[in-house]
Amino acid sequence: MANVVVVGAQWGDEGKGKIVDWLSERADVIARFQGGHNAGHTLVIDGKVYKLSLLPSGIVRPGKLSVIGNGVVLDPWHLVGEIAKLRGEGVEITPDNLMIAENAVLILPLHGELDRARESHNAVAKIGTTGRGIGPAYEDKVGRRAIRVADLADEATLALRVDRLMVHHDALRRGLGIEPIDREALLAQLREIAPQVLPYAKPVWKVMNEMRKAGKRILFEGAQGALLDIDFGTYPFVTSSNVIAGQAATGTGIGPGAIGFVLGIVKAYTTRVGEGPFPAELKDADGERLGERGREFGTVTGRKRRCGWFDAVLVRQTCATSGVSGIALTKLDVLDGFETLKICVGYDLDGERLDHLPIAADQQARCTPIYEELEGWSESTAGARSWADLPGAAVKYVRRIEELIQCPVALLSTSPERDDTILVTDPFED
Ligand code: GDP
Ligand code: IMO
Ligand code: MG
């Protein structure tokens, strides 16, 4: 029996939420380990749509423990709002089924303000962030001036932390033309929200290790995707955390040995939201068609996602950096009806063929895709629940992807619905 880590293997929005929801039936604990409410994970259960940003996708299943680990940056006002929204949709959330790490860093209103001010003030430095303060909050974490969940319990500590933050932030704000922080108002806001967050605050590392010893099954839910990773992504057009599988251990306080199966979530084509290089991007009718059929609009910001062909070079690379054991291939149905399909199998950089994406930004921008063409299929794969339901050309497409990325398919998804999923290998039993 293995614990399972689910990670995005492209630029996010691969369908992690749907797969985590499906797998969570087999799990006891579902834990987020990085990112924050920049994530947007969609679950569709018997036609009912749930959109989660901060809460683990396991929260909709009764009897499961959902965990927000120390690697997450937590906006307490958003947390309370998301809990209220889900309760309104009939989901039960109490300190018995939701636990938040005491050492998780808080996102404050000033982080969102800074994020948005930077994005709008400086066209040169624009990243196309979600504007939710993720980057500035992580900056304060490594800058050793952040406020953490546990600090909410003590007024004197809170005041000290706010003073420390103000020294740094007021200087930045002056430069950007934003008024200084209102110390008393911020402290009052924090005092007001504290009793709504503190009941969930626990030593997550301890509970996780106890769960592990007791043989409970843990499912780690990654956010974003490996190409948005702060180290291995298309820097600087990335998010501000490590999102690859290794982060599951440091982001919850459990040793790396607790990670068994790494499930990479892979969309059958490629999308990206925000700025940055995207070699296999399509700016033509095929790209439009992928966007329309795949309903490629951001869950968090509503922005139109950029679309392109499947890029096997990138996924082979991200399977390596996360140590992916098997992939869940999603949205195969979106490709129904294309006469021919293309897969990017290499890049041309100034006349030289590359089998990986180079690190240097100027080289990334100059990489042009080398494509292989495959036959499409006219039949519908939407809602298929077994291999036997798939047309031959679709099976060939999937097999070719496995060969090119050097990683097997463990799950296949053919619609947004929970049960429209084909199981090849059970990650918990592998
Ligand atoms: P996440 O951020 O990785 O959880 O993915 P998002 O929820 O942001 O985006 C994935 C979108 O694709 C959601 O609207 C899902 O409901 C939808 N989706 C997931 N799997 C499939 C699939 O196999 N087929 C289709 N057509 N849609 C899917
Ligand atoms: P899920 O979990 C897709 C992108 C933003 C931007 C960059 C930095 O739903 O897959 P940030 O606000 O994190 O500082 O923005 O990262 N981004 C995502 N793109 N899916 C996500 O999450 C994303 N989270 C952040 O669009 O380009
Ligand atoms: Mg998403």
Side-chain angles (χ1 to χ4, degrees):
M1 193 203 73
N3 294 318
V4 177
V5 183
V6 164
V7 285
Q10 291 152 320
W11 274 292
D13 304 323
E14 299 91 349
K16 296 176 291 295
K18 165 177 166 162
I19 300 297
V20 169
D21 169 55
W22 190 85
L23 279 175
S24 63
E25 189 187 7
R26 294 164 154 76
D28 301 299
V29 183
I30 298 92
R32 280 278 308 265
F33 55 87
Q34 49 70 232
H37 64 313
N38 50 347
H41 297 176
T42 317
L43 284 49
V44 185
I45 305 164
D46 295 331
K48 194 164 167 182
V49 181
Y50 299 90
K51 289 184 188 290
L52 303 171
S53 283
L54 183 56
L55 294 170
S57 296
I59 199 81
V60 301
R61 290 203 193 247
K64 310 288 176 185
L65 176 64
S66 287
V67 172
I68 296 180
N70 55 279
V72 169
V73 279
L74 181 116
D75 180 325
W77 297 275
H78 177 90
L79 173 80
V80 168
E82 194 169 317
I83 290 176
K85 184 176 134 256
L86 280 157
R87 282 191 182 138
E89 293 167 4
V91 178
E92 196 174 318
I93 304 173
T94 71
D96 288 333
N97 71 341
L98 176 66
M99 187 167 83
I100 298 172
E102 297 164 317
N103 50 344
V105 158
L106 297 185
I107 301 182
L108 307 174
L110 59 93
H111 293 124
E113 284 163 21
L114 183 58
D115 192 356
R116 292 186 294 274
R118 282 177 178 157
E119 288 282 290
S120 59
H121 276 60
N122 193 343
V124 181
K126 190 173 158 66
I127 288 167
T129 71
T130 59
R132 295 195 153 188
I134 306 293
Y138 276 118
E139 286 170 32
D140 281 348
K141 175 179 179 168
V142 295
R144 294 162 292 186
R145 57 180 168 261
I147 301 180
R148 308 202 294 180
V149 170
D151 299 332
L152 290 172
D154 183 62
E155 288 219 10
T157 310
L158 211 47
L160 278 174
R161 293 273 186 276
V162 166
D163 288 340
R164 204 178 163 111
L165 263 184
M166 283 177 63
V167 174
H168 180 79
H169 278 271
D170 276 344
L172 277 177
R173 291 164 75 94
R174 256 195 310 280
L176 287 162
I178 315 174
E179 75 268 26
I181 293 163
D182 182 338
R183 181 179 189 272
E184 295 317 310
L186 177 57
L187 280 169
Q189 279 179 300
L190 288 166
R191 273 196 298 270
E192 194 198 338
I193 203 74
Q196 299 184 67
V197 177
L198 286 170
Y200 302 99
K202 305 269 165 60
V204 156
W205 65 271
K206 194 163 180 287
V207 181
M208 292 288 283
N209 278 277
E210 283 161 7
M211 291 280 175
R212 185 183 174 195
K213 276 201 188 111
K216 301 287 185 200
R217 291 175 164 201
I218 305 169
L219 176 58
F220 297 90
E221 176 177 6
Q224 290 81 53
L227 295 164
L228 292 169
D229 183 272
I230 186 77
D231 286 302
F232 293 103
T234 45
Y235 193 89
F237 303 100
V238 293
T239 192
S240 296
S241 64
N242 280 118
V243 315
I244 57 176
Q247 175 64 18
T250 41
T252 57
I254 205 165
I259 300 172
F261 195 100
V262 180
L263 184 68
I265 314 300
V266 176
K267 207 179 273 196
Y269 48 99
T270 315
T271 63
R272 148 161 234 179
V273 223
E275 312 295 317
F278 182 173
E281 183 171 14
L282 289 168
K283 291 180 175 163
D284 60 6
D286 284 336
E288 283 294 316
R289 180 160 168 192
L290 286 171
E292 268 165 42
R293 286 189 53 88
R295 304 211 175 116
E296 296 296 353
F297 292 91
T299 313
V300 172
T301 56
R303 287 177 292 174
K304 198 171 171 180
R305 297 174 184 150
R306 299 153 65 191
C307 296
W309 295 120
F310 186 80
D311 189 332
V313 180
L314 291 181
V315 176
R316 187 167 57 232
Q317 193 162 329
T318 60
C319 281
T321 51
S322 269
V324 170
S325 325
I327 66 161
L329 190 67
T330 63
K331 305 191 93 161
L332 186 69
D333 54 295
V334 173
L335 301 180
D336 293 352
F338 276 92
E339 210 162 292
T340 50
L341 298 166
K342 288 184 187 171
I343 297 181
C344 173
V345 295
Y347 300 129
D348 182 305
L349 177 66
D350 309 331
E352 196 189 328
R353 187 178 172 130
L354 295 185
D355 66 354
H356 68 282
L357 187 70
I359 283 292
D362 64 311
Q363 294 188 1
Q364 288 183 350
R366 287 204 310 282
C367 276
T368 55
I370 299 168
Y371 287 121
E372 179 177 298
E373 257 186 39
L374 278 86
E375 204 183 310
W377 54 91
S378 53
E379 302 91 329
S380 168
T381 65
R385 291 188 183 182
S386 81
W387 276 107
D389 296 338
L390 300 178
V395 173
K396 268 194 193 153
Y397 183 75
V398 176
R399 293 297 181 215
R400 186 63 184 136
I401 285 178
E402 285 181 315
E403 266 171 24
L404 288 166
I405 66 170
Q406 294 161 12
C407 198
V409 167
L411 289 162
L412 201 71
S413 166
T414 56
S415 103
E417 267 288 344
R418 177 187 270 176
D419 293 323
D420 291 337
T421 306
I422 301 173
L423 177 67
V424 182
T425 307
D426 186 339
F428 281 111
E429 298 298 339
D430 196 58

mmCIF file of all heavy atoms in Angstrom, residues 250-281:
data_model
loop_
_atom_site.group_PDB
_atom_site.id
_atom_site.type_symbol
_atom_site.label_atom_id
_atom_site.label_comp_id
_atom_site.label_asym_id
_atom_site.label_seq_id
_atom_site.Cartn_x
_atom_site.Cartn_y
_atom_site.Cartn_z
ATOM 1 N N THR A 250 7.951 18.209 2.586
ATOM 2 C CA THR A 250 8.286 19.417 3.360
ATOM 3 C C THR A 250 7.045 20.273 3.620
ATOM 4 O O THR A 250 7.016 21.010 4.598
ATOM 5 C CB THR A 250 9.344 20.277 2.633
ATOM 6 O OG1 THR A 250 9.043 20.309 1.259
ATOM 7 C CG2 THR A 250 10.733 19.733 2.834
ATOM 8 N N GLY A 251 6.063 20.169 2.788
ATOM 9 C CA GLY A 251 4.859 20.995 2.933
ATOM 10 C C GLY A 251 3.848 20.460 3.918
ATOM 11 O O GLY A 251 2.799 21.086 4.144
ATOM 12 N N THR A 252 4.142 19.293 4.526
ATOM 13 C CA THR A 252 3.237 18.754 5.551
ATOM 14 C C THR A 252 3.988 18.255 6.786
ATOM 15 O O THR A 252 3.363 17.951 7.801
ATOM 16 C CB THR A 252 2.388 17.564 5.015
ATOM 17 O OG1 THR A 252 3.273 16.550 4.522
ATOM 18 C CG2 THR A 252 1.440 17.994 3.907
ATOM 19 N N GLY A 253 5.318 18.122 6.682
ATOM 20 C CA GLY A 253 6.087 17.659 7.840
ATOM 21 C C GLY A 253 6.114 16.158 7.999
ATOM 22 O O GLY A 253 6.089 15.634 9.111
ATOM 23 N N ILE A 254 6.159 15.460 6.884
ATOM 24 C CA ILE A 254 6.245 13.997 6.902
ATOM 25 C C ILE A 254 7.490 13.661 6.079
ATOM 26 O O ILE A 254 7.838 14.403 5.169
ATOM 27 C CB ILE A 254 4.933 13.408 6.323
ATOM 28 C CG1 ILE A 254 4.670 12.005 6.839
ATOM 29 C CG2 ILE A 254 4.883 13.472 4.824
ATOM 30 C CD1 ILE A 254 3.232 11.530 6.583
ATOM 31 N N GLY A 255 8.187 12.603 6.400
ATOM 32 C CA GLY A 255 9.423 12.294 5.671
ATOM 33 C C GLY A 255 9.173 11.896 4.226
ATOM 34 O O GLY A 255 8.075 11.462 3.884
ATOM 35 N N PRO A 256 10.197 12.032 3.359
ATOM 36 C CA PRO A 256 10.013 11.682 1.947
ATOM 37 C C PRO A 256 9.657 10.213 1.739
ATOM 38 O O PRO A 256 9.040 9.855 0.735
ATOM 39 C CB PRO A 256 11.358 12.021 1.298
ATOM 40 C CG PRO A 256 12.320 12.240 2.401
ATOM 41 C CD PRO A 256 11.537 12.579 3.623
ATOM 42 N N GLY A 257 10.004 9.356 2.711
ATOM 43 C CA GLY A 257 9.672 7.940 2.596
ATOM 44 C C GLY A 257 8.167 7.681 2.646
ATOM 45 O O GLY A 257 7.695 6.604 2.278
ATOM 46 N N ALA A 258 7.409 8.682 3.080
ATOM 47 C CA ALA A 258 5.949 8.513 3.160
ATOM 48 C C ALA A 258 5.301 8.582 1.784
ATOM 49 O O ALA A 258 4.143 8.228 1.605
ATOM 50 C CB ALA A 258 5.344 9.592 4.058
ATOM 51 N N ILE A 259 6.079 9.068 0.808
ATOM 52 C CA ILE A 259 5.518 9.218 -0.531
ATOM 53 C C ILE A 259 5.744 7.931 -1.315
ATOM 54 O O ILE A 259 6.879 7.507 -1.497
ATOM 55 C CB ILE A 259 6.172 10.409 -1.267
ATOM 56 C CG1 ILE A 259 5.921 11.690 -0.480
ATOM 57 C CG2 ILE A 259 5.646 10.518 -2.689
ATOM 58 C CD1 ILE A 259 6.671 12.882 -1.012
ATOM 59 N N GLY A 260 4.671 7.319 -1.732
ATOM 60 C CA GLY A 260 4.809 6.079 -2.482
ATOM 61 C C GLY A 260 4.658 6.330 -3.963
ATOM 62 O O GLY A 260 5.631 6.495 -4.698
ATOM 63 N N PHE A 261 3.428 6.446 -4.417
ATOM 64 C CA PHE A 261 3.129 6.586 -5.842
ATOM 65 C C PHE A 261 2.982 8.070 -6.193
ATOM 66 O O PHE A 261 2.256 8.802 -5.519
ATOM 67 C CB PHE A 261 1.822 5.856 -6.135
ATOM 68 C CG PHE A 261 1.554 5.609 -7.586
ATOM 69 C CD1 PHE A 261 1.819 4.362 -8.153
ATOM 70 C CD2 PHE A 261 1.012 6.607 -8.398
ATOM 71 C CE1 PHE A 261 1.556 4.119 -9.496
ATOM 72 C CE2 PHE A 261 0.751 6.374 -9.737
ATOM 73 C CZ PHE A 261 1.013 5.130 -10.289
ATOM 74 N N VAL A 262 3.682 8.504 -7.210
ATOM 75 C CA VAL A 262 3.514 9.886 -7.686
ATOM 76 C C VAL A 262 2.674 9.849 -8.958
ATOM 77 O O VAL A 262 3.073 9.270 -9.969
ATOM 78 C CB VAL A 262 4.870 10.565 -7.959
ATOM 79 C CG1 VAL A 262 4.660 11.992 -8.460
ATOM 80 C CG2 VAL A 262 5.740 10.572 -6.699
ATOM 81 N N LEU A 263 1.489 10.438 -8.863
ATOM 82 C CA LEU A 263 0.575 10.455 -10.009
ATOM 83 C C LEU A 263 0.644 11.835 -10.671
ATOM 84 O O LEU A 263 0.259 12.839 -10.073
ATOM 85 C CB LEU A 263 -0.856 10.158 -9.530
ATOM 86 C CG LEU A 263 -1.921 10.051 -10.605
ATOM 87 C CD1 LEU A 263 -1.711 8.813 -11.481
ATOM 88 C CD2 LEU A 263 -3.327 9.989 -9.992
ATOM 89 N N GLY A 264 1.146 11.882 -11.880
ATOM 90 C CA GLY A 264 1.222 13.143 -12.626
ATOM 91 C C GLY A 264 -0.072 13.334 -13.402
ATOM 92 O O GLY A 264 -0.502 12.432 -14.122
ATOM 93 N N ILE A 265 -0.693 14.482 -13.236
ATOM 94 C CA ILE A 265 -1.928 14.735 -13.985
ATOM 95 C C ILE A 265 -1.553 15.466 -15.278
ATOM 96 O O ILE A 265 -0.856 16.491 -15.252
ATOM 97 C CB ILE A 265 -2.953 15.553 -13.173
ATOM 98 C CG1 ILE A 265 -3.083 15.003 -11.744
ATOM 99 C CG2 ILE A 265 -4.310 15.568 -13.874
ATOM 100 C CD1 ILE A 265 -3.536 13.585 -11.619
ATOM 101 N N VAL A 266 -2.004 14.903 -16.389
ATOM 102 C CA VAL A 266 -1.572 15.364 -17.704
ATOM 103 C C VAL A 266 -2.792 15.546 -18.597
ATOM 104 O O VAL A 266 -3.579 14.618 -18.776
ATOM 105 C CB VAL A 266 -0.625 14.307 -18.338
ATOM 106 C CG1 VAL A 266 -0.227 14.709 -19.744
ATOM 107 C CG2 VAL A 266 0.618 14.089 -17.474
ATOM 108 N N LYS A 267 -2.936 16.727 -19.141
ATOM 109 C CA LYS A 267 -4.031 16.987 -20.083
ATOM 110 C C LYS A 267 -3.628 16.445 -21.448
ATOM 111 O O LYS A 267 -2.438 16.507 -21.794
ATOM 112 C CB LYS A 267 -4.241 18.505 -20.155
ATOM 113 C CG LYS A 267 -5.625 18.949 -20.522
ATOM 114 C CD LYS A 267 -5.714 20.465 -20.544
ATOM 115 C CE LYS A 267 -6.030 21.070 -19.190
ATOM 116 N NZ LYS A 267 -6.479 22.481 -19.285
ATOM 117 N N ALA A 268 -4.559 15.939 -22.213
ATOM 118 C CA ALA A 268 -4.251 15.317 -23.510
ATOM 119 C C ALA A 268 -3.772 16.332 -24.551
ATOM 120 O O ALA A 268 -3.430 15.970 -25.679
ATOM 121 C CB ALA A 268 -5.468 14.558 -24.012
ATOM 122 N N TYR A 269 -3.794 17.636 -24.185
ATOM 123 C CA TYR A 269 -3.208 18.698 -25.012
ATOM 124 C C TYR A 269 -2.558 19.644 -24.007
ATOM 125 O O TYR A 269 -2.320 19.230 -22.864
ATOM 126 C CB TYR A 269 -4.273 19.372 -25.890
ATOM 127 C CG TYR A 269 -5.526 19.770 -25.142
ATOM 128 C CD1 TYR A 269 -5.720 21.082 -24.707
ATOM 129 C CD2 TYR A 269 -6.504 18.829 -24.823
ATOM 130 C CE1 TYR A 269 -6.858 21.445 -23.985
ATOM 131 C CE2 TYR A 269 -7.636 19.181 -24.097
ATOM 132 C CZ TYR A 269 -7.808 20.480 -23.692
ATOM 133 O OH TYR A 269 -8.922 20.816 -22.965
ATOM 134 N N THR A 270 -2.248 20.873 -24.375
ATOM 135 C CA THR A 270 -1.546 21.754 -23.431
ATOM 136 C C THR A 270 -2.308 23.066 -23.272
ATOM 137 O O THR A 270 -2.847 23.599 -24.247
ATOM 138 C CB THR A 270 -0.118 22.076 -23.946
ATOM 139 O OG1 THR A 270 0.489 20.866 -24.403
ATOM 140 C CG2 THR A 270 0.744 22.676 -22.854
ATOM 141 N N THR A 271 -2.341 23.587 -22.019
ATOM 142 C CA THR A 271 -2.878 24.935 -21.807
ATOM 143 C C THR A 271 -1.987 25.686 -20.829
ATOM 144 O O THR A 271 -1.227 25.083 -20.084
ATOM 145 C CB THR A 271 -4.313 24.914 -21.214
ATOM 146 O OG1 THR A 271 -4.287 24.303 -19.922
ATOM 147 C CG2 THR A 271 -5.293 24.195 -22.112
ATOM 148 N N ARG A 272 -2.135 26.999 -20.864
ATOM 149 C CA ARG A 272 -1.412 27.844 -19.913
ATOM 150 C C ARG A 272 -2.215 29.131 -19.715
ATOM 151 O O ARG A 272 -2.745 29.670 -20.693
ATOM 152 C CB ARG A 272 -0.003 28.076 -20.477
ATOM 153 C CG ARG A 272 0.654 29.396 -20.158
ATOM 154 C CD ARG A 272 2.168 29.410 -20.321
ATOM 155 N NE ARG A 272 2.681 29.880 -19.042
ATOM 156 C CZ ARG A 272 3.945 30.027 -18.708
ATOM 157 N NH1 ARG A 272 4.884 29.707 -19.561
ATOM 158 N NH2 ARG A 272 4.288 30.465 -17.532
ATOM 159 N N VAL A 273 -2.289 29.640 -18.487
ATOM 160 C CA VAL A 273 -2.901 30.955 -18.220
ATOM 161 C C VAL A 273 -1.792 31.912 -17.812
ATOM 162 O O VAL A 273 -0.891 31.510 -17.086
ATOM 163 C CB VAL A 273 -3.894 30.972 -17.027
ATOM 164 C CG1 VAL A 273 -5.128 31.770 -17.347
ATOM 165 C CG2 VAL A 273 -4.232 29.602 -16.525
ATOM 166 N N GLY A 274 -1.884 33.145 -18.213
ATOM 167 C CA GLY A 274 -0.853 34.119 -17.835
ATOM 168 C C GLY A 274 0.252 34.171 -18.880
ATOM 169 O O GLY A 274 0.197 33.506 -19.914
ATOM 170 N N GLU A 275 1.282 34.979 -18.546
ATOM 171 C CA GLU A 275 2.365 35.221 -19.506
ATOM 172 C C GLU A 275 3.365 34.067 -19.513
ATOM 173 O O GLU A 275 3.316 33.192 -18.678
ATOM 174 C CB GLU A 275 3.114 36.506 -19.121
ATOM 175 C CG GLU A 275 2.237 37.716 -18.812
ATOM 176 C CD GLU A 275 1.459 38.197 -20.016
ATOM 177 O OE1 GLU A 275 2.062 38.250 -21.113
ATOM 178 O OE2 GLU A 275 0.256 38.499 -19.879
ATOM 179 N N GLY A 276 4.311 34.127 -20.475
ATOM 180 C CA GLY A 276 5.422 33.184 -20.466
ATOM 181 C C GLY A 276 5.494 32.305 -21.694
ATOM 182 O O GLY A 276 4.523 32.208 -22.457
ATOM 183 N N PRO A 277 6.660 31.660 -21.905
ATOM 184 C CA PRO A 277 6.862 30.853 -23.109
ATOM 185 C C PRO A 277 5.943 29.638 -23.182
ATOM 186 O O PRO A 277 5.583 29.073 -22.139
ATOM 187 C CB PRO A 277 8.324 30.411 -22.998
ATOM 188 C CG PRO A 277 8.712 30.601 -21.587
ATOM 189 C CD PRO A 277 7.847 31.687 -21.037
ATOM 190 N N PHE A 278 5.586 29.251 -24.388
ATOM 191 C CA PHE A 278 4.664 28.125 -24.618
ATOM 192 C C PHE A 278 4.917 27.658 -26.047
ATOM 193 O O PHE A 278 4.217 28.056 -26.979
ATOM 194 C CB PHE A 278 3.228 28.641 -24.422
ATOM 195 C CG PHE A 278 2.114 27.635 -24.576
ATOM 196 C CD1 PHE A 278 0.811 28.003 -24.271
ATOM 197 C CD2 PHE A 278 2.336 26.331 -25.014
ATOM 198 C CE1 PHE A 278 -0.245 27.116 -24.395
ATOM 199 C CE2 PHE A 278 1.297 25.432 -25.147
ATOM 200 C CZ PHE A 278 0.003 25.826 -24.842
ATOM 201 N N PRO A 279 5.945 26.820 -26.250
ATOM 202 C CA PRO A 279 6.383 26.480 -27.611
ATOM 203 C C PRO A 279 5.282 25.897 -28.512
ATOM 204 O O PRO A 279 5.221 26.230 -29.689
ATOM 205 C CB PRO A 279 7.499 25.460 -27.382
ATOM 206 C CG PRO A 279 7.980 25.686 -25.994
ATOM 207 C CD PRO A 279 6.815 26.212 -25.215
ATOM 208 N N ALA A 280 4.425 25.020 -27.966
ATOM 209 C CA ALA A 280 3.434 24.359 -28.830
ATOM 210 C C ALA A 280 2.097 25.110 -28.864
ATOM 211 O O ALA A 280 1.067 24.546 -29.240
ATOM 212 C CB ALA A 280 3.229 22.918 -28.364
ATOM 213 N N GLU A 281 2.121 26.406 -28.501
ATOM 214 C CA GLU A 281 0.876 27.193 -28.493
ATOM 215 C C GLU A 281 0.309 27.320 -29.903
ATOM 216 O O GLU A 281 1.050 27.488 -30.870
ATOM 217 C CB GLU A 281 1.147 28.602 -27.931
ATOM 218 C CG GLU A 281 -0.114 29.449 -27.832
ATOM 219 C CD GLU A 281 0.111 30.765 -27.080
ATOM 220 O OE1 GLU A 281 1.281 31.141 -26.859
ATOM 221 O OE2 GLU A 281 -0.906 31.394 -26.725
#
